Amino acid sequence: MRKSTGKMIKMAAAAVLLTTALSGCGQEPAKTAQAAQTEQAQPLSATFYVYDTVATIKIYDEKATEQHIDEIRDLLGRIDLELSRTNEKSDLYKVNAEAGKSAVKVSQGTYDVVKMALAYAKDTGGLIDPSIGPLINLWDIGHEGAQVPAKTDLGKARSLTDYRSVTLDEANRTIKLEKKGMVLDLGSIGKGYAADQVSAYLHDHQLDSALINLGGSSIIAVGGKPGGADWNVGLQDPDKNRGSQLGTIQINDETIDSSGVYERFFIQDGVRYHHILDPRTGYPTQNGLKSITIVSDKATDADALSTAAFVMGLEDGMAYIEQQPGVEAFFIMDDNQIHATSGLKERIKLSSAIYRMADE
């Protein structure tokens, strides 16, 4: 039996990156000048490790101070303490430790995130499920020694993956997992929630031009560049080394988030097993999708919906995203065709001859 482990850092599949040339093609002279001024400006920047992700924040505003950075660090620290699965002092750790036993009182932030995650689960019929922790633990994809689990173990983990067995008590602000062995995992929403909290902080302090980069797979634009021009964001070619673009897209006060089969994986007996699991089967999805990229007004939506739409597959995922206000997406298939929702087709500027829009 032959096994190999893929990249452990979420950055390879259709990851997004800021292009070195921030000015867009065909801009008016005034906007081009503004873009050049932005390139020369030195942002106030800082890097944090939060929720198992390296987060880099760059604030392009002369009003930004080190105190703002310190307060953002404290904000992210509080979120990490609330939502970390591994920190024994965190709310989530305590909820998981009491699975099948008792309800746990949590912070308002933790309660709100779990409530949102359960709402996504209900809306998608469980295709995205915050109680998927037993399956994630069983597969352990992204770590040495990962292998295809035994069917009996998969059956047990699937029986514990059921968002309907998570009980919320709003009056007492408690969360209870009804079955022993259940595990909440907020990996499909936690980073987006953290980014939205930072974005809200920046807006509240009138810092209206900033970028938040979450591990290379998500970029959150707070406003536009100084002067109001759009940010030009490169779209990573999922089959090539980081920095190789398939095209670009411009965003302004939006989030772009990607998920794909090349992010974390292992190969066993010639079969690639990636980290995006289908709760219905317990196995990684196999639906011809190479990657999906979401463009959304909110990072929380982008984070959650990129996973949900991936599990749905092209046809159902496309239809689902089209129904979501303020959300667009494009899907890259194994044959390198790109399918985009109606509001995104004209925004993608391809630069690679390998990929093409499906309707062209």
Side-chain angles (χ1 to χ4, degrees):
M1 180 169 63
R2 183 182 178 189
K3 296 185 292 179
S4 60
T5 303
K7 295 183 179 179
M8 295 170 59
I9 299 177
K10 185 181 179 184
M11 67 182 186
V16 291
L17 57 147
L18 258 177
T19 58
T20 54
L22 291 176
S23 56
C25 298
Q27 290 181 323
E28 298 174 1
K31 288 189 176 181
T32 302
Q34 290 169 353
Q37 182 179 5
T38 302
E39 289 180 29
Q40 295 170 3
Q42 294 298 317
L44 181 64
S45 62
T47 299
F48 310 94
Y49 188 75
V50 59
Y51 209 65
D52 295 328
T53 301
V54 177
T56 301
I57 298 172
K58 295 183 178 182
I59 308 174
Y60 293 82
D61 193 311
E62 61 183 12
K63 299 190 300 294
T65 67
E66 289 295 337
Q67 181 177 345
H68 292 125
I69 295 296
D70 290 341
E71 290 177 355
I72 290 171
R73 179 182 292 107
D74 291 343
L75 171 62
L76 290 175
R78 288 196 299 273
I79 294 172
D80 197 49
L81 185 58
E82 291 171 338
L83 306 182
S84 171
R85 277 185 55 187
T86 57
N87 188 329
E88 295 183 5
K89 296 181 180 179
S90 78
D91 283 349
L92 196 64
Y93 187 96
K94 294 173 183 177
V95 170
N96 288 336
E98 290 298 314
K101 301 176 185 176
S102 59
V104 176
K105 189 175 183 65
V106 299
S107 70
Q108 188 64 54
T110 302
Y111 187 90
D112 290 343
V113 176
V114 173
K115 184 177 180 179
M116 282 190 288
L118 292 173
Y120 283 118
K122 183 178 180 180
D123 193 53
T124 62
L127 294 187
I128 178 172
D129 192 330
S131 68
I132 199 170
L135 282 168
I136 292 176
N137 290 344
L138 183 63
W139 281 92
D140 201 28
I141 296 175
H143 298 91
E144 293 295 334
Q147 60 183 342
V148 178
K151 290 186 177 181
T152 53
D153 293 334
L154 273 172
K156 181 178 180 181
R158 284 183 59 205
S159 71
L160 295 172
T161 301
D162 183 2
Y163 68 94
R164 293 163 297 189
S165 295
V166 181
T167 300
L168 301 183
D169 183 338
E170 192 156 5
N172 295 306
R173 210 172 66 216
T174 62
I175 302 172
K176 183 181 180 183
L177 306 182
E178 298 295 342
K179 302 176 184 178
K180 185 178 180 181
M182 288 185 68
V183 179
L184 283 181
D185 183 291
L186 300 175
S188 62
I189 190 175
K191 290 186 298 181
Y193 169 79
D196 279 337
Q197 294 302 302
V198 173
S199 180
Y201 170 90
L202 293 172
H203 280 306
D204 288 345
H205 289 79
Q206 289 77 52
L207 302 173
D208 297 327
S209 181
L211 290 169
I212 306 168
N213 188 328
L214 298 179
S217 62
S218 302
I219 286 180
I220 297 88
V222 180
K225 291 185 284 189
D230 294 340
W231 301 100
N232 206 38
V233 177
L235 303 171
Q236 174 71 41
D237 186 329
D239 288 338
K240 295 184 179 180
N241 293 332
R242 193 179 188 191
S244 299
Q245 298 176 19
L246 62 85
T248 60
I249 187 172
Q250 293 187 336
I251 62 174
N252 193 314
D253 211 29
E254 295 172 294
T255 293
I256 182 166
D257 181 277
S258 297
S259 294
V261 301
Y262 291 89
E263 292 170 5
R264 296 191 302 273
F265 63 89
F266 67 88
I267 296 175
Q268 182 173 322
D269 297 331
V271 179
R272 181 190 298 269
Y273 296 91
H274 59 81
H275 76 293
I276 304 175
L277 304 178
D278 186 336
R280 296 169 297 186
T281 65
Y283 282 85
T285 60
Q286 299 290 339
N287 53 23
L289 265 175
K290 185 181 294 185
S291 68
I292 179 174
T293 297
I294 299 282
V295 179
S296 174
D297 295 338
K298 294 291 185 180
T300 306
D301 290 336
D303 203 9
L305 295 178
S306 64
T307 302
F310 201 106
V311 175
M312 291 178 186
L314 175 61
E315 185 175 345
D316 291 344
M318 189 85 108
Y320 180 73
I321 294 298
E322 290 279 17
Q323 297 172 1
Q324 309 304 313
V327 181
E328 302 290 345
F330 69 88
F331 301 70
I332 302 180
M333 309 304 293
D334 287 339
D335 62 3
N336 294 333
Q337 289 197 71
I338 298 175
H339 299 255
T341 53
S342 55
L344 204 59
K345 290 179 181 179
E346 301 303 319
R347 295 177 61 182
I348 301 170
K349 306 301 180 184
L350 293 179
S351 58
S352 170
I354 297 174
Y355 297 90
R356 65 182 181 87
M357 303 302 291
D359 55 355
E360 293 181 354

